């Protein structure tokens, strides 16, 4: 019996053109391209579940009003001017506190990050303050400043300053030592060193602290406006709680969430523009 064997050609990788080396296809290990408004997907899903639960009668309307009820209540509060007045008061408080907190927190971070003496004087005090809950200072601030607008702004300022200080100071002291040595070899002046090395190196930490500071300020605002306040979104929520108006409470929470999201998105956009030279995993 004769056995016929067939010889198949060996499978080989395609040869590269002369002068070039064949390489495997590059894998993309980073994040995929971001979709427009992708961060709103979770919000839309949450609203969908909420609406479905309300429509099917699975939710107690006395405790959690339907989305369309909240929208109707918001329109009513908007047309009679009550909502706009409270938003203006709350925005003024949080804006004043955040701006003062940014100035103080940035100054303290620079003092502690650029000087050993400054770090000895500042960092310990800030860390002690960070260990004390800001809202725990409410009784003391009322005793010192009364129940007016001042103690609310001061508490927001303290929360923003400490929250901004931590990542900014960490970014400052985390600047690569080799950049410092190179600047010394090049006989760079102190001013130029701060302008060209320190400030660019600390900006990522500053923007992270800024986002956290703004978010913390909104949280503090909710509480301080519930303490002996005569106006503001927190006062509106407190009155709604006393009268069992869940829809009004949800309107106020929605306003807090919308403004917080807008502030965070604005800071993100500013960060991308200022740090356009930086290449990250998300790019």
């Amino acid at each position: 019996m004769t056995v016929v064997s067939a010889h198949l050609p060996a499978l080989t990788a395609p040869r590269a053109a002369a002068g070039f080396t064949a390489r495997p296809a590059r894998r993309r290990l980073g994040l995929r391209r971001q979709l427009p408004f992708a961060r709103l997907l979770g919000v839309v899903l949450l609203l969908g579940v909420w609406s479905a639960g309300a429509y099917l009668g699975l939710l107690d309307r006395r405790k959690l009003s339907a989305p369309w009820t909240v929208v109707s209540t918001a329109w009513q509060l908007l047309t009679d001017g009550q909502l706009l007045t409270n938003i203006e008061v709350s925005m003024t408080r949080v804006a004043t506190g955040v701006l003062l907190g940014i100035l103080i927190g940035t100054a303290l971070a620079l003092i502690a990050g650029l000087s050993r003496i400054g770090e000895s004087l500042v960092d310990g005090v800030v860390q002690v303050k960070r260990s004390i809950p800001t809202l725990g200072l409410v009784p003391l601030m009322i005793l010192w400043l009364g129940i007016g607008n001042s103690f609310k702004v001061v508490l927001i300022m303290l929360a923003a300053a400490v929250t901004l200080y931590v990542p900014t100071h960490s970014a400052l002291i985390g600047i690569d030592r080799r950049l410092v040595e190179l600047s010394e070899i090049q006989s760079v002046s102190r001013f130029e060193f701060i302008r060209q090395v320190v400030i660019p190196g600390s900006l990522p930490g500053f923007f992270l602290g800024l986002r956290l500071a703004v978010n913390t300020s909104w949280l503090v605002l909710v509480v301080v406006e519930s303490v002996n306040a005569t106006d503001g979104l927190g006062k509106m929520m407190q009155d709604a709680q006393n009268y069992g108006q869940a829809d009004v409470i949800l309107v106020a929470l929605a306003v807090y969430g919308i403004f917080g999201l807008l502030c965070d998105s604005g800071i993100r956009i500013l960060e991308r523009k200022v740090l356009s030279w930086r290449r990250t995993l998300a790019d």
Side-chain angles (χ1 to χ4, degrees), residues 155-224:
L155 286 177
I156 295 172
M157 177 193 70
L158 290 175
V162 173
T163 307
L164 178 68
Y165 168 87
V166 175
T168 305
H169 176 256
S170 178
L172 280 170
I173 62 177
I175 293 177
D176 196 334
R177 178 66 186 177
R178 290 171 295 182
L179 296 176
V180 181
E181 295 174 352
L182 179 61
S183 300
E184 293 173 347
I185 293 175
Q186 296 294 325
S187 300
V188 176
S189 65
R190 183 74 170 178
F191 174 78
E192 288 297 320
F193 171 71
I194 293 176
R195 187 176 70 87
Q196 298 186 16
V197 178
V198 172
I199 293 179
S202 62
L203 281 178
F206 170 79
F207 279 109
L208 174 60
L210 184 59
R211 291 176 59 195
L212 295 175
V214 171
N215 181 66
T216 303
S217 299
W218 282 107
L219 297 178
V220 174
L221 177 69
V222 175
V223 178
V224 297

Side-chain angles (χ1 to χ4, degrees), residues 218-276:
W218 282 107
L219 297 178
V220 174
L221 177 69
V222 175
V223 178
V224 297
E225 285 190 335
S226 301
V227 180
N228 295 321
T230 58
D231 48 19
L233 293 173
K235 174 61 175 176
M236 187 175 73
M237 290 176 60
Q238 187 181 34
D239 292 340
Q241 177 190 356
N242 296 333
Y243 292 103
Q245 298 172 320
D247 51 346
V248 178
I249 296 176
L250 290 171
V251 169
L253 292 176
V255 172
Y256 280 128
I258 291 172
F259 278 105
L261 181 62
L262 290 177
C263 291
D264 187 76
S265 300
I267 295 173
R268 282 174 177 265
I269 294 173
L270 179 62
E271 180 182 10
R272 284 197 296 267
K273 290 185 178 297
V274 174
L275 302 180
S276 58

Side-chain angles (χ1 to χ4, degrees), residues 32-222:
R32 300 297 181 183
R33 183 178 297 275
Q34 184 176 356
L35 298 175
F37 308 105
R39 289 189 176 89
L40 296 178
L41 180 60
V43 178
V44 173
L45 179 61
L46 178 61
L47 289 175
V49 174
W50 179 16
S51 300
Y55 180 78
L56 297 174
L58 302 177
L59 303 177
D60 187 352
R61 296 184 179 181
R62 295 172 299 178
K63 297 180 180 180
L64 185 60
S65 303
W68 45 88
T69 304
V70 175
V71 172
S72 176
T73 302
W75 177 254
Q76 181 180 353
L77 294 173
L78 191 63
T79 53
D80 65 15
Q82 181 180 352
L83 184 59
L84 288 178
T85 301
N86 289 320
I87 288 177
E88 182 181 359
V89 172
S90 296
M91 287 293 294
T92 301
R93 286 170 179 160
V94 76
T96 305
V98 167
L99 289 177
L100 293 176
I102 291 173
L103 294 176
I104 295 175
T106 304
L108 292 177
L110 290 174
I111 293 173
L114 298 177
S115 170
R116 291 295 184 184
I117 298 177
E119 186 175 26
S120 301
L121 295 175
V122 172
D123 191 63
V125 177
V126 174
Q127 297 304 329
V128 169
K129 165 59 192 73
R130 193 165 70 94
S131 302
I132 301 174
T134 301
L135 301 179
L137 298 175
V138 170
L140 188 61
M141 290 295 105
I142 292 178
L143 182 63
W144 287 354
L145 303 173
I147 61 174
N149 193 56
S150 299
F151 96 91
K152 300 177 179 64
V153 174
V154 169
L155 286 177
I156 295 172
M157 177 193 70
L158 290 175
V162 173
T163 307
L164 178 68
Y165 168 87
V166 175
T168 305
H169 176 256
S170 178
L172 280 170
I173 62 177
I175 293 177
D176 196 334
R177 178 66 186 177
R178 290 171 295 182
L179 296 176
V180 181
E181 295 174 352
L182 179 61
S183 300
E184 293 173 347
I185 293 175
Q186 296 294 325
S187 300
V188 176
S189 65
R190 183 74 170 178
F191 174 78
E192 288 297 320
F193 171 71
I194 293 176
R195 187 176 70 87
Q196 298 186 16
V197 178
V198 172
I199 293 179
S202 62
L203 281 178
F206 170 79
F207 279 109
L208 174 60
L210 184 59
R211 291 176 59 195
L212 295 175
V214 171
N215 181 66
T216 303
S217 299
W218 282 107
L219 297 178
V220 174
L221 177 69
V222 175

